[in-house]
Amino acid sequence: MKKGEVSMQERTDAFSTVSRRSFLKGSAAALAAGATTGLLGGAFDPESAQAAPAVQEEMGTSFCRCNCGDGGCTFDLHVRDGNIAYVAPRILEDTKDLPDRGRSRACLRGLSNLGREYDPGRILHPMRRVDGTERGAGQWEQITWDEAIQEISSKWKGYTEAFGKDSIANWTTFGNHASVNGETGLCWGRLAWFMGMSSLATGADWSNMYVTPQAIGANGIGPSMSAVEGETKNFVCWGTNLAECYPHVWRYIANAIEKGTILSVVDPRYSATAAKAKNHFKLRPASDTALALGICRYYFDNDLIDKPFLKSNSDAPFLVRADNGKYLRSIDAGFEVAPSSASKAERHDQEYAVWDEAQGRCVPADEATDPALFGTYTVNGIEVTTVCELLRRSVQEWTLEHTAEVCDMTVEDIVKLADIINDGPTVLLTGFGFGHYANGHAMATSTCAVTILTGNLAKPGAGYGLSRLSGFGTSNIYGTPGADPSITFKGGNGPAYSALKLPDIMRTGTYNNKPAVVKSAIVHSANPLGNQSGRTAVMEAIKGLDLLVTVDMYMTDTAMYSDIVLPCAFWFEVDD
């Protein structure tokens, strides 16, 4: 231990002393009160009583960095004699945010994070696997920070010179969502960018996170959760269990239910959220896409789509070429668009085209007065069809009877769910349940289509969200693993790989039929061996790495199979 460092045991003892002192102080006060009222059957002289030692208390502020979809709950930290005694919700000074409801009430999981701060099992020093021992054997030796940094940087320099910068991978998921120190934070992003690292992206959740922004423009569009109360008529949870997984969000829904919002849940299981719902729609696991497509056909067959919304707020009227499946552009249609600005002049030939029924011809989308939603046309010798028409054709096989059979539901329940969603303003909130299925991308796309067809976007009380309604950006924040090595992931400027394919990379030296070499990886804000699919295969892949470095507070499964483990500060110990 270096001079000036405090051991974990010393910190734990100090915390226990402070807590014990506070308890005893409270007990002394209770004892004095009891004696004064004669409960102890004797006289009490307050002047002769020894006063409890004063405990100096300071207040600090922090917030929750966990990945709960809509986190960031703020805390008041009560610090006594240099140690955090307890954590309390920070009451925000907002007349709409009363202490007993709203943003100020953090969940019990967040409030219990003090236990992590003073956990005796925390890693306090850099550790190195004992030379000659197998990964996972648990044989470690303590080293200094200088030794750890020297060894890591020396080996990384060698890998870079021999195999290229992207032979070192930045491997992270969702363990810390802080802006500076978190998995998408500035610190790790700059390191990955500076070194030209490749990236290993988790295989779960991404089907939602890539597809939803492409379908609706972000991972959530709608009212803030605190505004659902009083605005939203129907709230539909599809693929999520808010009551257990998002307690900080659930409180808003509970408040809204009290004011008349109807909660409906689509889930194969009778979850805690379903128990609170007015309507629970059970379906066969992984049949969510079929259900959504069946609902879409029901809307088309019964003319229940929101035509004004589709014409003005979606790509439903855009024309699609039959020869290549791409949107018809102005240059394809054979007409010119007069540029109105320098920026528009550079892209005027890429304007979307629609068929304007009022004019009976193809025009640029922004010049149409009544764009057609359905039909096939010939423009400049090119056969084109509207997006809405293509969607209608694609769902024709999903009759109510066929959908009911596939989803193991009744026709009546499917119609009931469809009518509930259409009876807006409706919020349709999905979670990351979709992302854990192989066809999760289709689940996300089809449920987005249900929302768009009913016009439940960009209206008060209506929206679509992936765990939240005010979603983060678009998919380019995360890149697209494997699509193009030039597309980055979480701050790096090297290729992005799916971590599920790491075993293939280690075995073949390729990814998507392109050369891919990973000699070393640094894991932070993550525990891949503890929560990633294909544990056995991933473990074998890890054994093939020349150097695995893990940054964590604890000796996790991944840390156990690392070569060097570096400790990190907890949320309450750093500014962010």
Side-chain angles (χ1 to χ4, degrees), residues 277-477:
K278 181 177 181 179
N279 305 295
H280 178 206
F281 298 95
K282 296 181 181 180
L283 75 167
R284 179 177 286 121
S287 67
D288 304 76
T289 302
L291 177 58
L293 296 180
I295 290 174
C296 287
R297 165 146 187 192
Y298 171 76
Y299 290 152
F300 283 125
D301 288 351
N302 294 277
D303 196 23
L304 295 174
I305 62 174
D306 189 335
K307 294 179 181 178
F309 177 86
L310 292 173
K311 291 182 178 183
S312 60
N313 294 283
S314 78
D315 67 348
F318 289 2
L319 298 175
V320 179
R321 298 176 55 144
D323 55 356
N324 59 16
K326 296 182 179 181
Y327 288 126
L328 182 76
R329 307 286 185 161
S330 297
I331 192 172
D332 303 326
F335 50 77
E336 295 184 0
V337 179
S340 58
S341 65
S343 60
K344 191 173 182 179
E346 299 173 358
R347 54 184 173 85
H348 71 276
D349 62 338
Q350 296 298 305
E351 293 284 347
Y352 299 110
V354 301
W355 187 269
D356 190 0
E357 291 187 320
Q359 303 180 50
R361 64 186 181 91
C362 178
V363 299
D366 57 1
E367 295 182 11
T369 56
D370 186 20
L373 288 175
F374 302 101
T376 295
Y377 311 91
T378 300
V379 178
N380 201 25
I382 304 171
E383 182 179 325
V384 293
T385 305
T386 66
V387 169
C388 199
E389 176 69 29
L390 292 174
L391 176 60
R392 180 169 66 175
R393 294 177 185 176
S394 69
V395 301
Q396 284 307 298
E397 68 174 290
W398 295 102
T399 63
L400 289 174
E401 292 73 20
H402 180 47
T403 303
E405 179 182 3
V406 172
C407 298
D408 195 19
M409 297 176 64
T410 65
V411 169
E412 292 74 19
D413 272 351
I414 296 173
V415 171
K416 182 178 181 180
L417 174 60
D419 288 341
I420 286 173
I421 295 173
N422 198 37
D423 187 18
T426 298
V427 165
L428 200 163
L429 193 70
T430 68
F432 290 100
F434 291 173
H436 295 196
Y437 286 103
N439 63 336
H441 59 290
M443 295 180 185
T445 304
S446 57
T447 51
C448 283
V450 168
T451 296
I452 296 169
L453 286 178
T454 56
N456 277 302
L457 283 174
K459 298 176 182 178
Y464 181 98
L466 170 58
S467 81
R468 59 180 131 184
L469 292 171
S470 52
F472 45 86
T474 56
S475 58
N476 61 7
I477 290 179

Side-chain angles (χ1 to χ4, degrees), residues 14 17-18 21 54-58 78-84:
T17 300
V18 172
R21 184 185 304 157
V55 178
Q56 184 178 1
E57 180 169 298
E58 300 176 88
H78 294 253
V79 182
R80 297 175 182 172
D81 292 345
N83 293 276
I84 301 175

